[in-house]
Amino acid sequence: MDTIHKCSTFTLRQELRKHGLFQDNYAGPINHSILLQKMIEILHNENEKINKKEFERMKECQVENNDFNEQMKQKRLELKLAAIERSRQRQNEKNYFAHKMI
């Protein structure tokens, strides 16, 4: 898109044919400015479509990442609660510290 202004009228016409927007029986005026304007419009629309798809993909990845983060938080909480419960059981067992000293 940065170098589209350097294209010749012939090249612009060929590109517009590829996109199906230029027919040989076109009756209106054909000049470099009109072809260039139409080609820039096409490239701009294609760029918007690409950006929209990329934005949607990024949103999906963010949702997946948030779900993963929530799962990891839940797992850490479960592990922490289990560790606290094991600690309480050890503290309630009177012989625990005696066995560790031996």
Side-chain angles (χ1 to χ4, degrees):
M1 190 165 177
D2 294 335
T3 60
I4 193 72
H5 65 281
K6 294 180 182 178
C7 292
S8 68
T9 304
F10 177 79
T11 306
L12 290 172
R13 190 175 70 206
Q14 293 299 94
E15 285 298 316
L16 289 171
R17 276 188 183 156
K18 284 181 186 177
H19 291 282
L21 297 171
F22 185 84
Q23 289 90 21
D24 289 328
N25 58 1
Y26 179 73
I30 300 172
N31 60 31
H32 187 76
S33 298
I34 291 171
L35 296 176
L36 184 62
Q37 183 179 12
K38 195 64 173 170
M39 194 65 207
I40 289 173
E41 182 181 319
I42 290 169
L43 292 173
H44 181 69
N45 290 341
E46 287 177 356
N47 201 12
E48 281 185 1
K49 287 178 186 176
I50 291 170
N51 288 340
K52 187 181 279 189
K53 286 179 184 176
E54 183 67 21
F55 179 73
E56 291 297 322
R57 188 184 66 78
M58 286 176 57
K59 278 178 45 177
E60 289 174 7
C61 289
Q62 186 177 13
V63 168
E64 290 173 5
N65 196 13
N66 287 343
D67 290 344
F68 178 75
N69 287 341
E70 288 298 321
Q71 289 174 352
M72 298 306 335
K73 281 182 184 178
Q74 184 66 27
K75 186 164 181 113
R76 283 192 299 266
L77 180 62
E78 290 172 2
L79 291 173
K80 185 175 182 178
L81 291 175
I84 291 171
E85 183 59 33
R86 286 192 308 270
S87 178
R88 282 187 189 146
Q89 289 176 357
R90 283 193 303 264
Q91 290 172 2
N92 288 337
E93 187 180 321
K94 296 185 190 255
N95 293 332
Y96 176 74
F97 292 107
H99 289 293
K100 288 293 180 179
M101 295 290 199
I102 298 175

